Amino acid sequence: LDGEDVIYILTCHHMISDKGSVTVQFPDENVRYGNEDFTFTGVIGGDIKSNSAHAVTLVGGDLNSDIALLKINIGKSAKSGKVLKENDKARIRASKVKVAGDDYEFVKGEKVFSVGNPTGELPGTVSHGIISYVNRKANVDSVGEMTLNQMDVQINPGNSGGGLFNYYGELIGITNAGNTDYDGI
């Protein structure tokens, strides 16, 4: 529908709810982050017409489930001002994740891993652990009560919005909260 140059990214609503600028980084040909040729920016808030010039736009989101969908047009200029070459765009398109099926169920004790950006300065960091509890009611700051799957994967500030994967490499969730008072929750 949107063409080959459009990528959609699922993240946490609380990551974009303050409005302002948003940055999306893809790993470059050396699988490193921070290359401004693979970094795209946008603005959350304002009117749609003025935001259409940006590479990153908000499609929609829901505070109650803490989920948001971003649209990234990799055919527009990157932060460096360059437009990606076709082989670089193809690499980004090929890097999309496999999502677990609708019938997927979390299992207590299941091994999982997360990919995130702890502290906002360490993109692509991988942590692993297990599902400790399925469907636990919890109160999440600035969101309210949610039903969450508890895990002992190390989640730090900056990991919110990153993917949670099973050991088959399938996306099974988006990390949205850690507990800074305790380890492993």
Side-chain angles (χ1 to χ4, degrees):
L1 297 168
D2 289 312
E4 290 185 352
D5 288 346
V6 173
I7 305 287
Y8 290 93
I9 294 181
L10 210 50
T11 191
C12 288
H13 188 277
H14 77 264
M15 298 295 295
I16 55 90
S17 63
D18 289 339
K19 301 185 176 155
S21 64
V22 61
T23 301
V24 175
Q25 293 182 347
F26 294 98
D28 65 15
E29 65 276 1
N30 298 313
V31 194
R32 293 189 183 137
Y33 290 90
N35 182 336
E36 289 195 348
D37 293 349
F38 289 78
T39 302
F40 296 87
T41 60
V43 176
I44 303 300
D47 64 83
I48 293 172
K49 187 175 181 180
S50 63
N51 289 349
S52 65
H54 295 285
V56 182
T57 55
L58 174 66
V59 175
D62 178 51
L63 179 62
N64 292 331
S65 58
D66 197 19
I67 204 79
L69 184 65
L70 299 176
K71 177 178 166 181
I72 295 84
N73 186 334
I74 60 174
K76 290 192 175 182
S77 293
K79 188 174 181 182
S80 65
K82 295 182 182 177
V83 174
L84 289 179
K85 296 176 184 166
E86 193 53 45
N87 60 332
D88 292 328
K89 289 193 264 184
R91 184 177 11 272
I92 289 173
R93 286 191 293 271
S95 69
K96 69 181 183 179
V97 299
K98 181 180 178 186
V99 178
D102 291 338
D103 58 348
Y104 182 82
E105 292 185 27
F106 287 90
V107 176
K108 196 174 191 177
E110 176 182 6
K111 293 179 180 181
V112 293
F113 65 96
S114 70
V115 180
N117 186 8
T119 73
E121 300 293 328
L122 303 167
T125 298
V126 178
S127 300
H128 69 94
I130 62 166
I131 299 293
S132 305
Y133 198 93
V134 177
N135 295 329
R136 184 178 295 279
K137 297 265 188 226
N139 192 20
V140 177
D141 289 345
S142 76
V143 176
E145 186 173 279
M146 298 184 77
T147 301
L148 304 171
N149 293 307
Q150 180 183 336
M151 59 196 171
D152 70 352
V153 176
Q154 186 66 41
I155 301 297
N156 298 294
N159 275 90
S160 290
L164 181 68
F165 299 87
N166 62 20
Y167 266 46
Y168 297 105
E170 299 168 322
L171 180 71
I172 57 173
I174 304 295
T175 59
N176 74 329
N179 188 322
T180 56
D181 295 332
Y182 306 97
D183 290 334
I185 295 181

